[in-house]
Amino acid sequence: MAKFVIKGGNQLNGKVKISGAKNSALKIMAASILATGTTILKNVPAIDDVITMVEVLSTIGADISFNSSTNEVKINCDNIKTFEAPYELVRKMRASILVAGPLLSRFGEVKIAIPGGCNIGSRQIDLHLKGFEMLGAQNKLEHGYIYSKVLSSASSSSGHTSISKNFKRKLKGAEINLEFPSRGATENIMMAACLATGKTIINNAAKEPEINDLANFLNKCGAKITGIGTDSIVIEGVEELKGCEYTVMPDSIETGTFIIAGALCGKKIEINNAIWDNMGIFCQKLKDIGVNLINKDADKTIIVKKSKTLLKPAYISTLPFPGFPTDLQPIIAVLLCTIPGISVITENVFENRFMYVDELNRMGANIRIDGHHAVITGVNKLSGAPVNASDLRAGAALVLAGLIADGTTEIYDIHHILRGYENFDKKLRNLGADIVKVN
Ligand code: EPZ
């Protein structure tokens, strides 16, 4: 079982380049199901979740290849014949649920295993299913699977066959009001609506930059999506989407992770391929705390320098974009637990995202959980210890804690981290960290 071994205390310095966004690349790969011909994706991160999505797509019959050294994916879905996504793959990665919308739109039916909950919460999909119903499908849950099907063509009696026999186009556009701006539901409904007949409006839609990236990809394939980046997305159904070449956006959560690394123990870190505006209020919040951050927009660069002043405790409340990103909540906690005074984190998006707290407390932090609040009393220093990564972002937080802790930290269950960070240890070593991956 692989682990990271970190000797704390090194000052970080130098340049790091941000990889492509996991939470965009996965959805764009799934969206290629909607297109005829070949799709070529660039800047796709070489992470385990991408490998799993390659498995999902090849399992349903896509002709797909991933070159991890050039970060390029080539996909052709012309010959996919099945609309079933098996349990083994969906349980491996929840984001597999994002093939449901494209398959339903293409075949008029889809059978997919219900993705269970994960360490950070129950992870419902009721809003996805409600959206499919509004577009004319009927959902049935049986034996751990969802079976969603358009019984009679919502648009016309015989169904609107188009381009080729396995594009059934049975869905019909509708106005959908989401109870919560769920990213997954917005993405699945937006993809399903692309080949539906008529107009779909998604109100209270999620606005994360990754949603915009997916919408821009779909428009490049010939979709008609407007209202991108707003909470009301409009999709005019079209006859056909054609594969295209597309470059995935940079990963804003990886960007935030390196910004915090710089705030914790950096002299000067230049973060390249980083987009300030994609970070929502995150950067402003760090500046309020006193972190020395410089936005070099024109060069897609963010610079973090050692702060000249004492950092201030803070109140953090996670919210959908442009609010404070829940994926950076465990990571900013590491910074707050070293700042003298009382800080409070309120987690509003997931019901169980404090799994890392016990591990940080084992390293000498002083954090108390009270419902969905974490009350942090700053300590002078952390000490290295053997700890466990419970999920992707909790794991990244423990790596950062290890960088500033006295002595050695060993992090177990790093498979969680490898799911979402490309060459994490190597990038940190290039900045001067003493971190090794031990198999
Ligand atoms: C995406 O998950 C991201 N994952 C998550 O990142 C991220 O934490 C999350 O959005 C919030 O920003 C991917 O993009 C692959 P949601 P998703 O639908 O789409 C509830 C990481 O670390 N909900 O916006 O599943 C749900 O239970 C991962 O990279 C319903 O109740 O998030 C949750 O509490 C972790 N019913 C909240 O909404 C639904 O039908 C947010 O879910 C859908 C969601």
Side-chain angles (χ1 to χ4, degrees), residues 359-436:
E359 300 304 285
L360 278 185
N361 283 346
R362 281 163 40 73
M363 296 177 75
N366 179 351
I367 309 174
R368 213 165 34 75
I369 302 300
D370 176 4
H372 64 147
H373 305 290
V375 181
I376 304 175
T377 306
V379 296
N380 294 334
K381 63 181 178 59
L382 298 179
S383 61
V387 289
N388 249 58
S390 55
D391 62 79
L392 169 59
R393 308 303 171 184
L398 295 175
V399 168
L400 297 195
L403 295 178
I404 56 167
D406 274 0
T408 303
T409 298
E410 294 188 332
I411 303 178
Y412 293 88
D413 286 343
I414 60 168
H415 59 276
H416 290 294
I417 304 171
L418 304 178
R419 285 190 40 214
Y421 287 92
E422 184 179 46
N423 298 329
F424 196 30
D425 53 323
K426 192 162 161 235
K427 289 184 181 185
L428 286 167
R429 265 196 308 279
N430 291 347
L431 291 170
D434 183 340
I435 174 171
V436 286

Side-chain angles (χ1 to χ4, degrees), residues 119-144:
N119 288 349
I120 63 176
S122 64
R123 314 291 298 264
Q124 309 288 324
I125 53 164
D126 54 318
L127 302 176
H128 302 231
L129 300 180
K130 271 206 202 100
F132 294 163
E133 262 166 35
M134 298 288 289
L135 295 173
Q138 289 194 347
N139 304 316
K140 201 170 57 184
L141 274 60
E142 239 171 34
H143 310 303

Side-chain angles (χ1 to χ4, degrees), residues 22-23 27 123 125-127 182-184 327 349 393:
K22 165 180 88 80
N23 292 344
K27 311 345 170 18
R123 314 291 298 264
I125 53 164
D126 54 318
L127 302 176
S182 149
R183 291 168 73 167
D327 294 343
V349 178
R393 308 303 171 184

Side-chain angles (χ1 to χ4, degrees), residues 38-326:
T38 300
T39 290
I40 295 175
L41 301 177
K42 296 186 180 290
N43 199 32
V44 175
I47 54 175
D48 290 358
D49 273 7
V50 163
I51 308 295
T52 307
M53 187 54 91
V54 169
E55 261 180 77
V56 171
L57 291 169
S58 58
T59 303
I60 59 175
D63 176 7
I64 181 165
S65 63
F66 175 42
N67 182 331
S68 57
S69 45
T70 62
N71 296 98
E72 192 175 291
V73 168
K74 226 186 223 149
I75 316 170
N76 184 306
C77 292
D78 287 350
N79 298 320
I80 63 175
K81 297 269 179 305
T82 169
F83 46 75
E84 190 168 332
Y87 175 68
E88 308 74 59
L89 288 172
V90 175
R91 95 179 162 76
K92 216 167 145 186
M93 179 181 71
R94 289 183 40 74
S96 315
I97 191 75
L98 274 300
V99 300
L103 288 172
L104 179 62
S105 196
R106 179 168 173 162
F107 290 101
E109 55 193 310
V110 61
K111 183 178 176 188
I112 188 160
I114 302 171
C118 74
N119 288 349
I120 63 176
S122 64
R123 314 291 298 264
Q124 309 288 324
I125 53 164
D126 54 318
L127 302 176
H128 302 231
L129 300 180
K130 271 206 202 100
F132 294 163
E133 262 166 35
M134 298 288 289
L135 295 173
Q138 289 194 347
N139 304 316
K140 201 170 57 184
L141 274 60
E142 239 171 34
H143 310 303
Y145 278 77
I146 299 148
Y147 192 50
S148 194
K149 182 174 178 152
V150 182
L151 291 182
S152 65
S153 163
S155 57
S156 65
S157 58
S158 61
H160 211 95
T161 54
S162 72
I163 1 173
S164 73
K165 61 186 179 331
N166 65 3
F167 274 80
K168 298 276 184 295
R169 293 197 63 219
K170 287 188 172 187
L171 296 174
K172 183 169 178 340
E175 178 149 9
I176 298 167
N177 301 318
L178 287 179
E179 269 170 58
F180 177 86
S182 149
R183 291 168 73 167
T186 302
E187 292 158 339
N188 243 335
I189 297 166
M190 181 167 73
M191 290 190 279
C194 285
L195 295 179
T197 50
K199 178 159 62 176
T200 296
I201 303 173
I202 308 174
N203 294 321
N204 195 24
K207 293 185 285 208
E208 275 77 2
E210 290 80 0
I211 308 265
N212 309 348
D213 209 29
L214 173 61
N216 293 336
F217 165 74
L218 290 162
N219 276 352
K220 198 166 178 202
C221 294
K224 288 200 180 117
I225 305 175
T226 51
I228 297 173
T230 76
D231 51 18
S232 189
I233 298 177
V234 180
I235 307 108
E236 282 287 349
V238 295
E239 281 277 330
E240 181 180 11
L241 297 184
K242 287 203 173 83
C244 71
E245 192 166 305
Y246 191 82
T247 300
V248 173
M249 63 174 273
D251 194 309
S252 30
I253 305 302
E254 186 193 9
T255 306
T257 305
F258 278 99
I259 290 175
I260 299 278
L264 281 166
C265 54
K267 182 167 172 228
K268 178 182 174 192
I269 301 185
E270 192 181 297
I271 306 173
N272 299 134
N273 201 26
I275 315 227
W276 184 280
D277 295 344
N278 283 351
M279 311 298 294
I281 63 156
F282 175 78
C283 293
Q284 189 48 51
K285 198 74 195 175
L286 286 193
K287 292 189 86 163
D288 298 348
I289 290 173
V291 175
N292 189 348
L293 269 186
I294 303 154
N295 173 15
K296 294 202 137 195
D297 238 353
D299 318 331
K300 280 194 186 170
T301 291
I302 296 174
I303 294 177
V304 196
K305 282 190 184 163
K306 186 168 175 44
S307 174
K308 298 192 186 71
T309 54
L310 259 188
L311 300 183
K312 295 187 284 280
Y315 178 77
I316 303 283
S317 174
T318 67
L319 285 169
F321 188 89
F324 193 97
T326 170

